[in-house]
Amino acid sequence: MTGLERIEAVFRRCRAEGRAAFMPYHAMGYPDRQKTLQIIRTLSEIGADLFEIGIPHSDPLADGPTIQTATYTALMQGTTVKDCLAMVRELRAMGVAQPFCAMSYYNPIFAYGVERFVEDAAAAGVDGLIVPDLPPEEAGELEAACRQAGLATIYLLAPTSTEERIRYVASHCTGFIYLVSVTGITGARSELPPDLAEFVARVRRHTDLPLAVGFGIANGAQAAAVARIAEGVIVGSALVKAAGGEDGLARVAALGRELAHGAHHPRANGAS
Amino acid sequence: MTSLPVTQSKVNYTAWPDEAGHFGPYGGKFVPETLMPALDELEEVYLKAKHDKEFQAELDHLLRTFVGRPTPLTYARRLTEYFGGPRIYIKREDLAHTGAHKINNALGQALLMKRKMQKTRIVAETGAGQHGVATATAAAMLGIECVVYMGTVDMARQEPNVYRMRLLGAEVRGVDSGSKTLKDAINEAIRDWVTNVRNTHYLLGSALGPHPYPTIVRDFQSVIGREALRQMLDPETGPGRLPDAIVACVGGGSNAIGVFHPFLEYEHVRLIGVEAGGRGIEGGEHAARFADPKLGRLGVLQGTKSYVLQDEDGQIALTHSISAGLDYASVGPEHAWLRDLGRTEYTYATDDEALEGVRLLSRLEGIIPALESAHAVAHLVKLAPQMSKDEIILVNLSGRGDKDLGTIMKELGAL
Ligand SMILES: Cc1ncc(COP(=O)(O)O)c(C=O)c1O
């Protein structure tokens, strides 16, 4: 099975089970290498359906303070692109079976060599790529390599995207589409934006692909609210924040359970 | 009016960027999706304004009555005698309002926003503080809310400019991430823009960033080259002919592209950009993107593809320059392309050479240059001896040195 097919299978299963996919993000190498492996394994055992694994970059211009700090910490400990792929291999060897979408800014991939990166990532066990500063206009080489290797190419859409861009970007996505919930950068927020349902509906008019919503989701109730309107619930900053500090692993596990429950039981939590 | 010389250029150097914003393999748009519609809008609005006579007339009027353009062309008699070689002329951007060329672009973009866009707020980054001051100035004059991001290292070394911005009514926000210099200020300005894009224009200060910024900034700065071309050719204001070489410092590349651009078609005029050599190339403590084959490679930083100082893993290198305005890891994409085409050439001056440039120009010409501009002056020490007495060099003096007195005093000590 190709990476893309593995991702498609996850969304098919979720649909059959009447739930959304829980899609945690983790910044690779944070708080350190060992804990990264533990965190992802723990999340894989308590309901994660697909992982976004963040490759650290020195200039994360779409990220808020939480992920900036986490990726900076990872870099300071010497985490390289190669290390991130090695961690993926190790996680596969540990039995973590969920699809992995590598999330990286473009320059580390470009410096590695686009084709070589895609080949090495696929060989390590990566299933799809998300590159937030690479719009489809500039992604010809990456898309060709991903097609060759069977990896999904996932682009982002934002509330500011016009109808024309929604059509254009959607036509370049495979696997799912990443909907940025807010006009802004990553970071946990106390409220979901009021126009989220409308935004999701606007995208849905142009595509049959599964839609995953991310940016700002921080608790189970929000996860359930997103699960009622979308196929995937992406959580980054809230989990990364929980991962720092002494009892990081326990806190990630507790929050992960709450989020998974929300994503998997959209009608619970007093929903109509 | 003097008529322009006929060109023999075989290449149309003004054919770039292409529709997608590429200068050959450089440039483009590498930004989060949230910003793509804003870039499309900016391009559309800018193209309209470019051909809008009313807009251009208003900008022209403000450049004359507010900025003080045209800036003079000065014959550097004593500097010429000192080297004993080619005649040296100086284009005086230090005499533009706020003390540097940055106002040309800041005013152009601020006016564009005010007249043509449904936005009410400006964010900008600044390194030396000159772009921040210019933006705060244009914003004050046009009545626009203005927030400037500045690395805390730069705030310390360009303190007078921080106060000037605040006096002008801008909010200055210190940036404490990464190297705490220009690159980090740009990251933070972009984050603000991503968050507030519906009502905010990002007023980028150099010929950098995603398309259409490199083109917009170049066009607004080309007023330098257009004036210099006229002033050089007119025997009343200059030597009555084209220069043989033009020298400008290159941070992001806006003053250099501004003075170079109108001369591109005159192929015999050498166009020389001077990067920051910092403490020398070997140790890696510099901002010379073209001069260090180990660290300076093709890459993507902050929206554009160009030469980028980076490590093997694609992480952006920390740069060093005595001048905050040249202390940046990438360079405008059009410079990279013109260099590939063989039309422009690049060299560097170290911190020490730049300080010597400050001394020379101050004592011989009565002009205290900005540390950035002093890099261009410093290159004369190498260039002038290679040229003959009947040749002419034009130096673009991008700014004045008042803002740098703290740094210069620390470095040069008691005089
Ligand atoms: C006086 C002066 N010259 C030059 C520069 C470098 O910028 P650019 O290369 O865009 O002209 C700066 C930037 O702050 C500056 O203040």
Side-chain angles (χ1 to χ4, degrees):
Chain A
M1 236 196 326
T2 65
L4 172 58
E5 287 163 348
R6 287 157 46 79
I7 291 171
E8 288 170 340
V10 165
F11 285 103
R12 258 199 315 276
R13 185 167 354 104
C14 287
R15 177 182 305 220
E17 294 172 4
R19 63 182 181 87
F22 170 42
M23 305 162 67
Y25 163 96
H26 188 69
M28 299 303 271
Y30 179 77
D32 59 38
R33 190 176 201 281
Q34 204 47 41
K35 288 193 181 120
T36 293
L37 300 177
Q38 287 169 351
I39 285 165
I40 292 178
R41 181 166 52 188
T42 301
L43 287 167
S44 81
E45 288 163 354
I46 59 171
D49 295 291
L50 183 155
F51 285 99
E52 283 178 22
I53 56 161
I55 296 176
H57 182 41
S58 54
D59 292 80
L61 53 72
D63 285 305
T66 303
I67 291 178
Q68 278 179 50
T69 305
T71 52
Y72 182 74
T73 305
L75 277 181
M76 286 303 106
Q77 295 177 10
T79 310
T80 64
V81 176
K82 276 207 179 78
D83 291 335
C84 293
L85 297 184
M87 283 185 260
V88 168
R89 266 194 305 274
E90 229 167 297
L91 286 161
R92 290 298 184 223
M94 287 159 66
V96 175
Q98 289 90 340
F100 284 136
C101 290
M103 191 151 186
S104 172
Y105 289 91
Y106 190 47
N107 201 53
I109 294 176
F110 187 74
Y112 194 102
V114 172
E115 261 184 55
R116 195 163 69 91
F117 174 80
V118 170
E119 279 168 23
D120 288 0
V126 168
D127 302 289
L129 294 187
I130 307 171
V131 188
D133 62 345
L134 187 72
E137 283 90 338
E138 303 285 356
E141 190 185 1
L142 189 87
E143 277 187 18
C146 284
R147 218 166 294 128
Q148 185 76 28
L151 297 197
T153 53
I154 297 120
Y155 294 95
L156 289 76
L157 282 169
T160 54
S161 301
T162 58
E163 302 297 309
E164 194 186 335
R165 278 207 69 80
I166 292 173
R167 268 195 302 277
Y168 172 72
V169 172
S171 74
H172 284 263
C173 281
T174 57
F176 66 95
I177 305 179
Y178 190 140
L179 270 55
V180 176
S181 70
V182 291
T183 306
I185 53 179
T186 61
R189 288 171 176 83
S190 53
E191 306 273 341
L192 291 175
D195 53 358
L196 181 61
E198 190 260 331
F199 171 43
V200 174
R202 205 154 61 83
V203 176
R204 185 128 17 231
R205 280 200 291 277
H206 299 287
T207 181
D208 295 325
L209 282 172
L211 307 181
V213 173
F215 280 39
I217 300 165
N219 59 45
Q222 290 174 341
V226 168
R228 288 195 284 279
I229 56 174
E231 285 72 40
V233 180
I234 301 169
V235 182
S237 297
L239 283 166
V240 170
K241 200 177 231 161
E246 278 294 288
D247 50 352
L249 191 60
R251 285 166 56 210
V252 167
L255 180 59
R257 275 196 192 88
E258 177 188 331
L259 292 162
H261 187 268
H264 294 169
H265 301 87
R267 306 275 159 215
N269 289 334
S272 56
Chain B
M1 244 194 77
T2 357
S3 60
L4 297 179
V6 186
T7 75
Q8 320 84 25
S9 180
K10 285 172 214 76
V11 183
N12 175 13
Y13 293 104
T14 56
W16 292 278
D18 66 15
E19 277 201 6
H22 296 123
F23 298 88
Y26 310 105
K29 287 183 194 178
F30 295 83
V31 295
E33 175 62 26
T34 306
L35 297 177
M36 290 297 281
L39 291 175
D40 289 345
E41 186 206 1
L42 180 60
E43 182 176 0
E44 198 186 307
V45 163
Y46 174 67
L47 283 179
K48 272 198 204 126
K50 191 173 172 172
H51 301 109
D52 177 344
K53 286 210 174 67
E54 211 174 307
F55 176 84
Q56 293 299 336
E58 184 176 8
L59 179 58
D60 223 54
H61 178 76
L62 288 173
L63 287 175
R64 270 184 290 117
T65 60
F66 183 69
V67 177
R69 306 207 69 91
T71 58
L73 183 71
T74 301
Y75 173 52
R77 186 179 56 82
R78 293 192 66 212
L79 198 62
T80 298
E81 283 167 7
Y82 174 81
F83 290 120
R87 274 180 291 165
I88 298 165
Y89 285 82
I90 303 175
K91 178 62 174 164
R92 301 291 305 278
E93 290 305 294
D94 60 312
L95 291 179
H97 182 39
T98 68
H101 69 291
K102 296 286 180 186
I103 189 76
N104 303 327
N105 166 59
L107 184 63
Q109 284 195 47
L111 190 68
L112 184 69
M113 189 199 101
K114 182 85 178 175
R115 294 284 175 260
K116 304 286 178 189
M117 298 164 85
Q118 309 293 323
K119 297 188 171 182
T120 55
R121 178 176 176 270
I122 282 173
V123 290
E125 82 296 338
T126 197
Q130 286 305 118
H131 174 58
V133 167
T135 302
T137 298
M141 196 263 287
L142 293 167
I144 304 168
E145 181 190 345
C146 177
V147 173
V148 180
Y149 290 91
M150 188 170 190
T152 47
V153 165
D154 290 340
M155 286 176 77
R157 61 177 160 173
Q158 310 278 218
E159 201 184 320
N161 274 345
V162 176
Y163 195 80
R164 286 168 86 196
M165 286 184 266
R166 290 183 172 145
L167 198 55
L168 289 159
E171 182 189 339
V172 181
R173 295 188 187 163
V175 177
D176 243 334
S177 55
S179 51
K180 311 182 197 333
T181 57
L182 180 57
K183 167 175 78 73
D184 312 285
I186 295 181
N187 284 337
E188 214 47 45
I190 292 178
R191 290 184 188 118
D192 182 314
W193 193 32
V194 169
T195 307
N196 300 298
V197 61
R198 290 174 200 272
N199 73 350
T200 298
H201 173 62
Y202 177 26
L203 208 161
L204 184 54
S206 191
L208 290 168
H211 178 66
Y213 282 104
T215 306
I216 293 179
V217 176
R218 174 249 277 163
D219 287 355
F220 284 139
Q221 291 295 1
S222 291
V223 67
I224 304 172
R226 284 196 305 273
E227 286 176 10
L229 182 60
R230 250 191 289 115
Q231 290 165 325
M232 291 297 291
L233 293 176
D234 185 344
E236 297 278 312
T237 52
R241 71 168 181 87
L242 290 171
D244 299 283
I246 302 179
V247 184
C249 68
V250 183
S254 71
N255 87 87
I257 203 73
V259 70
F260 289 171
H261 216 259
F263 289 90
L264 285 174
E265 59 187 291
Y266 305 107
E267 298 245 27
H268 65 282
V269 180
R270 283 177 69 187
L271 305 174
I272 305 168
V274 186
E275 299 184 283
R279 302 195 176 102
I281 302 304
E282 302 78 47
E285 290 181 84
H286 60 77
R289 291 73 38 123
F290 292 130
D292 186 343
K294 211 165 68 226
L295 294 176
R297 282 174 287 116
L298 187 59
V300 172
L301 177 62
Q302 296 173 332
T304 193
K305 191 186 273 185
S306 184
Y307 277 77
V308 179
L309 293 168
Q310 54 185 312
D311 70 11
E312 277 168 15
D313 223 31
Q315 311 301 351
I316 308 309
L318 296 184
T319 53
H320 164 80
S321 169
I322 192 171
S323 64
L326 304 186
D327 199 351
Y328 183 65
S330 185
V331 60
E334 191 165 10
H335 284 287
W337 179 229
L338 290 171
R339 178 174 176 265
D340 279 6
L341 292 174
R343 183 61 192 93
T344 53
E345 45 191 302
Y346 298 85
T347 181
Y348 62 89
T350 62
D351 289 352
D352 289 344
E353 289 166 339
L355 283 165
E356 184 53 25
V358 170
R359 239 215 296 239
L360 273 179
L361 201 68
S362 302
R363 300 213 159 173
L364 292 176
E365 295 298 336
I367 302 169
I368 300 174
L371 278 169
E372 290 79 13
S373 326
H375 286 71
V377 176
H379 185 57
L380 295 177
V381 175
K382 291 172 196 159
L383 183 64
Q386 301 166 7
M387 294 172 68
S388 68
K389 265 182 169 344
D390 52 6
E391 290 185 296
I392 294 173
I393 302 176
L394 171 65
V395 182
N396 193 40
L397 200 75
S398 57
R400 67 177 189 226
D402 310 43
K403 70 182 174 63
D404 295 315
L405 283 186
T407 306
I408 295 170
M409 278 161 70
K410 212 159 59 201
E411 296 291 333
L412 294 184
L415 300 175

